Amino acid sequence: MADIEQYHNILKELKKYHAQLIAVSKTEPVESILQLYQAGQRAFGENKVQEMCEKRLSLPEDIEWHMVGHLQTNKVKYIAPFVSLIHSVDSVKLLEEINKQALKNNRTISCLLQVHIAAEESKFGFSEEEVYGLLQQKQFKLFTNVRIAGLMGMASNTDNSDQVEHEFEGLRQLFLHLKQNYFTDNSDFKELSMGMSSDYPLALKHGATLIRIGTILFGKRNYH
Ligand SMILES: *Cc1c(COP(=O)(O)O)cnc(C)c1O
């Protein structure tokens, strides 16, 4: 079940910041997605390729599908025909494959570079140094069918809001620096995807343009 009242409250808040809501529907049944769709939501986020592909088949065609979870190279081909934005690009190899599959499908796929900003160890996301390294590669310019639309990050899972704000602000500073130095003539580089159920007000305060929310829209997830 989707909480429609909560949905409208969140939308009202996001509007003040000109930010967009990505409803993260992983593990949720299509009925819940449809409830939010009927309330007006079009952008939904999933973190598993198979789940996204299956749900898509039984839902309206004008839903925008966002991949927010770690994406394996060998699965890009399944979402390449329709995916709206890939938030979780965390390697050059993945970017290369997205470009290849985008070409095959005769489209350009929008991507965010995922940056590791949390204190916790994680296998996923570029470091700041790696992002600069990537943007300086010649190969990077050959990716004709990917559109780098901005950055994504996940803050530490902590009650320490100073730390979370510090991490979000760090990502914003990186975003602004890249925009000024690497994407000067490129208005496509405009999205900052950060903030989830527990920390999205802090993300908004630090310039988030896309907020990825699951739990407070759909209730606590049941993992089977
Ligand atoms: C699950 C997930 C979210 C949403 O998390 P909630 O705490 O349920 O709001 C956001 N981003 C990513 C990458 C996720 O995997």
Side-chain angles (χ1 to χ4, degrees):
M1 286 276 284
D3 185 339
I4 302 301
E5 195 184 324
Q6 177 76 291
Y7 170 64
H8 287 295
N9 288 337
I10 295 171
L11 281 191
K12 220 180 276 171
E13 204 177 342
L14 294 194
K15 210 168 175 190
K16 290 185 229 156
Y17 293 89
H18 305 285
Q20 195 197 336
L21 173 67
I22 313 302
V24 179
S25 49
K26 62 192 187 197
T27 78
E28 297 300 328
V30 291
E31 291 75 18
S32 302
I33 297 177
L34 210 46
Q35 286 177 328
L36 268 196
Y37 178 88
Q38 279 154 358
Q41 182 66 17
R42 291 295 177 272
F44 290 88
E46 292 283 338
N47 68 340
K48 295 209 166 71
V49 166
Q50 192 182 346
E51 191 176 338
M52 181 187 275
C53 292
E54 281 172 5
K55 284 176 176 172
R56 176 172 171 265
L57 291 178
S58 39
L59 284 162
E61 272 189 28
D62 63 341
I63 285 184
E64 275 179 36
W65 292 100
H66 291 242
M67 175 49 67
V68 301
H70 178 65
L71 179 58
Q72 286 173 285
T73 312
N74 61 356
K75 296 199 173 150
V76 173
K77 57 178 177 284
Y78 301 114
I79 61 170
F82 66 88
V83 71
S84 174
L85 178 63
I86 301 175
H87 291 234
S88 43
V89 172
D90 58 4
S91 74
V92 182
K93 207 178 92 195
L94 180 58
L95 209 51
E96 199 176 332
E97 178 65 14
I98 294 169
N99 187 58
K100 184 175 141 194
Q101 297 299 334
L103 265 165
K104 266 193 191 168
N105 286 279
N106 198 20
R107 62 188 296 246
T108 298
I109 297 180
S110 293
C111 295
L112 305 180
L113 302 177
Q114 182 174 354
V115 182
H116 182 240
I117 56 171
E120 296 123 9
E121 287 281 327
S122 162
K123 288 176 293 204
F124 306 128
F126 292 106
S127 67
E128 287 200 13
E129 292 73 27
E130 286 169 335
V131 171
Y132 285 110
L134 166 68
L135 297 179
Q136 281 155 10
Q137 280 182 20
K138 272 212 199 78
Q139 185 194 11
F140 179 72
K141 302 202 172 58
L142 301 175
F143 296 147
T144 52
N145 288 54
V146 295
R147 181 184 295 120
I148 303 295
L151 302 179
M152 183 273 240
M154 292 167 90
S156 297
N157 183 11
T158 172
D159 292 335
N160 183 343
S161 58
D162 286 345
Q163 183 183 343
V164 171
E165 287 199 42
H166 183 74
E167 291 168 358
F168 284 151
E169 182 57 25
L171 189 61
R172 187 172 83 102
Q173 290 303 327
L174 176 64
F175 172 78
L176 292 174
H177 191 257
L178 295 177
K179 195 170 174 58
Q180 280 170 7
N181 293 283
Y182 293 87
F183 296 94
T184 324
D185 302 318
N186 184 344
S187 54
D188 292 333
F189 192 82
K190 60 184 195 313
E191 306 292 2
L192 195 46
S193 171
M194 57 186 198
M196 323 193 341
S197 291
S198 59
D199 57 17
Y200 79 91
L202 303 178
L204 288 172
K205 197 172 147 190
H206 291 276
T209 65
L210 303 175
I211 311 288
R212 309 177 311 271
I213 291 181
T215 308
I216 57 174
L217 283 173
F218 296 108
K220 261 198 147 62
R221 279 180 291 275
N222 286 313
Y223 288 100
H224 300 288

